[in-house]
Amino acid sequence: MRAAVRSAPAAAATTELRPACAVVAILIAVGLTSLAAADALVPPPEPTALLQDLDTEDPEALSAAIAAIEDAPSSREMADVLFAAGRACEDRLYDPARALALYERILRDTPDAGVSIAAGRRAVMLRGSKEHAREAAQLAELIATADATAPAEIERQANELAAARWPGAVDAALFLADWLCRTGRYRDAQVRYTKLIADSPDAKQVHLARRNAAGCAIDAKDWSLAEQLTSQLGSDDVDEAVRASLIDNVAMGRRRDSLYAASWVGLLLGGFLLLASLAEAVLRGGIRAPAWQPPTEALYIGPVALVVVLSALAIDQLVASAVIQISIAGFVSAWLSGATLDLLRRRDRSTRMRSVVHVLACGAIVLAVGYIAMTRSDLLDMLGETVKFGPGA
């Protein structure tokens, strides 16, 4: 009986605690739900802002920006940002393993994104080098810092990486060949390309080496070799487009070479005509030297040429070099022509036909010098883009 009496208060206390526990449980659930809702209300970081954060030269700031991208939720809009972060890991942090993780995330979370194809290619290249992270980082750093590294050191490191037994050895050999071509060592570059084409078992790498070798031959103006290498490219649709572009470049190069040679002929012929005309005016009817004061033609063109040269110097040094050469050619031609015509007038001789010949000779000289100067300054492509797309191209 006493036991029953003692158990009654305990049962009552238990009964009273149950509503309290239920209330506490409800409060906890509401709190957790509120926290989740608050997190959901926080907007995800803007892809544009994350992409802008990658534009830094500070390695620590760059690593922090990539970490923020890694923490951001995946989406189609984030795919491009993830790819840019992967390239930054490769090219500026020299961390191929981290780049591979970013590329694989693109392939896993957004396989239908436009950048997924490029991410897949980079991932394939980096997976093969996963066990050779040190060599991959060395190659990435060498490629990124090539412009600031001594040529001898570049060649030494690239040769070591190309000779090592790792999947990126072919990439190192291709980089070395491309670098030799870019620095003007065309013959050495072709030797490297030829060796890579002969030794590499990878058809894609052979195709890439042959394509780059054709481009290098074009840079060296070896048109026959360029045509030979172009004809050896594959026959799929991509190669057809590449081959067509290379063929166009070879044809354009041949035309430019012909115009360059014709320009020298025009320059020499125009100069000969002006000098012969002056010599004939001096000698015919007794030797009589031309006046030393500048002729009217030189007085007119001199100030105009000076203004043009000063304007070119203020705008672009590269363009100014060609402008100076053209201006000097025009000024000298005008002086020779004017001095000859003045001498003919003093001798009471007709100048009508001689003036026509002089105009043609001066025009030929100015055009010839202009083309020669633009060719030597590599301004023809710039001029073509300006004509095609406008001054802002």
Side-chain angles (χ1 to χ4, degrees):
M1 184 67 180
R2 288 179 179 176
V5 172
R6 284 196 301 268
S7 63
T14 303
T15 303
E16 292 176 357
L17 286 174
R18 285 176 181 173
C21 292
V23 171
V24 172
I26 292 172
L27 290 175
I28 292 174
V30 171
L32 293 174
T33 304
S34 300
L35 290 174
D39 290 339
L41 291 175
V42 177
E46 286 291 332
T48 304
L50 293 173
L51 193 60
Q52 290 175 348
D53 291 340
L54 295 176
D55 188 14
T56 176
E57 299 298 329
D58 184 2
E60 293 184 1
L62 179 59
S63 181
I66 294 173
I69 293 172
E70 292 170 334
D71 293 337
S74 297
S75 65
R76 286 181 60 87
E77 293 76 15
M78 279 294 298
D80 291 330
V81 181
L82 290 168
F83 185 80
R87 293 302 314 212
C89 287
E90 287 189 77
D91 301 336
R92 289 186 280 165
L93 292 184
Y94 319 122
D95 191 346
R98 193 174 184 183
L100 177 60
L102 290 166
Y103 297 143
E104 289 180 336
R105 177 177 167 184
I106 295 173
L107 298 174
R108 181 182 65 252
D109 297 345
T110 55
D112 57 340
V115 77
S116 62
I117 296 176
R121 291 173 180 168
R122 300 303 307 172
V124 169
M125 295 178 62
L126 294 179
R127 285 190 195 110
S129 304
K130 196 170 184 179
E131 297 178 356
H132 301 272
R134 183 179 63 84
E135 290 86 351
Q138 287 179 351
L139 179 58
E141 183 175 7
L142 183 62
I143 293 173
T145 61
D147 292 337
T149 306
E153 182 64 17
I154 292 175
E155 200 163 353
R156 183 190 68 79
Q157 292 187 32
N159 278 321
E160 289 180 357
L161 292 171
R165 296 180 63 84
W166 70 293
V170 177
D171 295 324
L174 186 60
F175 159 73
L176 179 57
D178 292 340
W179 175 80
L180 289 170
C181 179
R182 184 161 56 88
T183 54
R185 295 170 58 182
Y186 302 118
R187 187 180 299 276
D188 293 338
Q190 290 297 345
V191 171
R192 298 282 180 174
Y193 286 127
T194 302
K195 185 176 186 303
L196 198 156
I197 292 170
D199 296 345
S200 177
D202 189 339
K204 291 184 178 179
Q205 292 288 358
V206 169
H207 161 76
L208 186 59
R210 188 173 285 120
R211 186 192 68 184
N212 290 7
C216 184
I218 291 174
D219 292 341
K221 298 184 179 181
D222 190 344
W223 312 122
S224 299
L225 179 60
E227 289 175 341
Q228 175 186 347
L229 292 169
T230 300
S231 66
Q232 295 172 357
L233 291 173
S235 57
D236 54 77
D237 294 337
V238 176
D239 288 340
E240 285 295 338
V242 172
R243 185 189 296 108
S245 176
L246 291 172
I247 290 173
D248 289 343
N249 288 335
V250 172
M252 182 183 299
R254 289 188 183 278
R255 287 196 300 271
R256 288 181 176 179
D257 274 3
S258 298
L259 287 174
Y260 187 78
S263 296
W264 275 107
V265 172
L267 173 60
L268 295 175
L269 182 59
F272 173 78
L273 287 175
L274 288 181
L275 292 175
S277 178
L278 177 61
E280 192 273 342
V282 169
L283 297 176
R284 185 175 176 183
I287 298 177
R288 186 173 182 177
W292 286 107
Q293 64 267 24
T296 304
E297 292 84 348
L299 292 174
Y300 173 78
I301 198 174
V304 176
L306 181 60
V307 171
V308 172
V309 168
L310 292 177
S311 301
L313 287 171
I315 295 173
D316 192 317
Q317 294 291 330
L318 183 62
V319 174
S321 175
V323 171
I324 290 173
Q325 296 177 57
I326 296 170
S327 299
I328 291 175
F331 181 75
V332 172
S333 300
W335 190 307
L336 289 175
S337 174
T340 302
L341 295 177
D342 285 347
L343 183 57
L344 290 175
R345 294 187 189 100
R346 290 205 306 270
R347 289 180 180 270
D348 295 327
R349 293 177 56 187
S350 174
T351 60
R352 180 176 300 176
M353 290 302 299
R354 192 73 63 100
S355 297
V356 173
V357 174
H358 284 194
V359 168
L360 295 175
C362 290
I365 290 172
V366 170
L367 289 175
V369 171
Y371 192 85
I372 292 170
M374 288 190 294
T375 300
R376 289 183 169 180
S377 302
D378 295 326
L379 290 174
L380 291 177
D381 291 331
M382 184 187 301
L383 178 63
E385 291 178 0
T386 302
V387 172
K388 186 175 182 180
F389 301 108

